[in-house]
Coordinates of all heavy atoms in Angstrom, one line a residue:
A71 N -15.4 -18.5 26.7 CA -14.7 -18.3 28.1 C -15.7 -18.4 29.2 O -15.3 -18.4 30.3 CB -14.0 -17.0 28.1
G72 N -16.9 -18.6 28.8 CA -18.0 -18.8 29.9 C -18.9 -17.7 30.2 O -19.6 -17.7 31.2
I73 N -18.8 -16.5 29.4 CA -19.5 -15.5 29.8 C -21.1 -15.7 29.3 O -21.3 -16.2 28.1 CB -19.0 -14.1 28.9 CG1 -17.6 -13.8 29.5 CG2 -20.0 -12.9 29.0 CD1 -17.6 -13.3 30.9
K74 N -21.9 -15.6 30.3 CA -23.3 -16.0 30.0 C -24.2 -14.8 29.6 O -25.3 -14.9 29.2 CB -23.9 -16.5 31.4 CG -23.2 -17.6 31.9 CD -23.8 -18.9 31.3 CE -23.1 -20.2 31.9 NZ -21.7 -20.4 31.4
S75 N -23.8 -13.6 30.0 CA -24.5 -12.3 29.8 C -24.8 -12.1 28.3 O -24.1 -12.7 27.4 CB -23.9 -11.0 30.5 OG -23.6 -11.4 31.8
D76 N -25.6 -11.1 28.0 CA -25.8 -10.6 26.6 C -24.5 -10.1 26.0 O -23.7 -9.4 26.8 CB -26.9 -9.4 26.6 CG -28.3 -10.0 26.8 OD1 -28.5 -11.1 26.5 OD2 -29.1 -9.2 27.3
I77 N -24.3 -10.3 24.7 CA -23.0 -9.8 24.1 C -23.5 -9.2 22.7 O -24.1 -9.8 21.9 CB -22.0 -10.8 23.7 CG1 -21.6 -11.6 25.0 CG2 -20.9 -10.3 23.0 CD1 -20.6 -12.7 24.8
L78 N -23.4 -7.9 22.6 CA -23.7 -7.3 21.4 C -22.4 -7.0 20.5 O -21.4 -6.6 20.9 CB -24.1 -5.8 21.8 CG -24.5 -4.9 20.5 CD1 -25.6 -5.4 19.6 CD2 -24.8 -3.5 21.0
L79 N -22.5 -7.4 19.2 CA -21.3 -7.2 18.3 C -21.7 -5.9 17.6 O -22.6 -5.6 17.0 CB -21.4 -8.3 17.2 CG -21.4 -9.7 17.8 CD1 -21.3 -10.6 16.5 CD2 -20.3 -10.0 18.7
L80 N -20.6 -4.9 17.6 CA -20.7 -3.6 17.1 C -20.4 -3.5 15.6 O -20.7 -2.5 15.1 CB -19.9 -2.7 17.9 CG -20.1 -2.5 19.4 CD1 -19.1 -1.7 20.2 CD2 -21.5 -1.9 19.6
S81 N -19.7 -4.6 15.2 CA -19.3 -4.6 13.7 C -20.5 -4.8 12.8 O -21.6 -5.0 13.2 CB -18.2 -5.7 13.5 OG -18.8 -6.9 13.9
R82 N -20.3 -4.6 11.5 CA -21.4 -4.6 10.5 C -21.7 -6.1 10.4 O -20.9 -7.1 10.5 CB -20.7 -4.3 9.1 CG -21.6 -4.5 7.9 CD -22.4 -3.2 7.8 NE -23.6 -3.6 6.8 CZ -23.5 -3.6 5.5 NH1 -22.4 -3.1 4.9 NH2 -24.7 -3.9 4.8
L83 N -23.1 -6.4 10.3 CA -23.5 -7.6 10.2 C -23.0 -8.5 9.1 O -22.9 -8.0 7.9 CB -25.1 -7.6 10.0 CG -26.0 -8.9 10.1 CD1 -27.3 -8.6 10.8 CD2 -26.2 -9.5 8.7
D84 N -22.6 -9.7 9.6 CA -22.0 -10.7 8.5 C -23.0 -11.7 8.2 O -23.3 -12.6 9.0 CB -20.7 -11.3 9.0 CG -20.0 -12.2 7.9 OD1 -20.6 -12.5 7.1 OD2 -18.8 -12.5 8.2
A85 N -23.7 -11.7 7.0 CA -24.8 -12.5 6.6 C -24.4 -14.0 6.6 O -25.1 -14.9 6.9 CB -25.3 -12.1 5.3
R86 N -23.0 -14.3 6.5 CA -22.6 -15.7 6.5 C -22.5 -16.3 7.9 O -22.4 -17.5 8.0 CB -21.2 -15.7 5.7 CG -21.1 -15.3 4.3 CD -19.7 -15.0 3.9 NE -19.2 -14.1 4.8 CZ -18.0 -13.5 4.7 NH1 -17.2 -14.1 3.7 NH2 -17.5 -12.6 5.6
R87 N -22.6 -15.4 8.9 CA -22.5 -16.1 10.2 C -23.7 -15.9 11.1 O -23.6 -16.0 12.3 CB -21.2 -15.3 10.8 CG -20.0 -15.5 10.0 CD -18.9 -14.9 10.8 NE -18.2 -16.0 11.8 CZ -17.1 -15.7 12.4 NH1 -16.4 -14.6 12.2 NH2 -16.7 -16.6 13.3
I88 N -24.9 -15.9 10.5 CA -26.1 -15.7 11.3 C -26.3 -17.0 12.0 O -26.9 -16.8 13.2 CB -27.4 -15.3 10.5 CG1 -27.1 -14.0 9.8 CG2 -28.6 -15.4 11.1 CD1 -28.2 -13.5 8.7
D89 N -26.1 -18.1 11.5 CA -26.2 -19.4 12.2 C -25.4 -19.5 13.5 O -25.9 -19.8 14.6 CB -25.6 -20.6 11.3 CG -26.6 -21.1 10.6 OD1 -27.8 -21.2 10.9 OD2 -26.3 -21.7 9.4

Side-chain angles (χ1 to χ4, degrees):
I73 295 297
K74 301 270 178 294
S75 304
D76 283 336
I77 301 173
L78 172 66
L79 309 185
L80 298 170
S81 52
R82 179 83 196 275
L83 186 145
D84 182 346
R86 296 163 304 180
R87 300 189 82 175
I88 296 177
D89 267 331

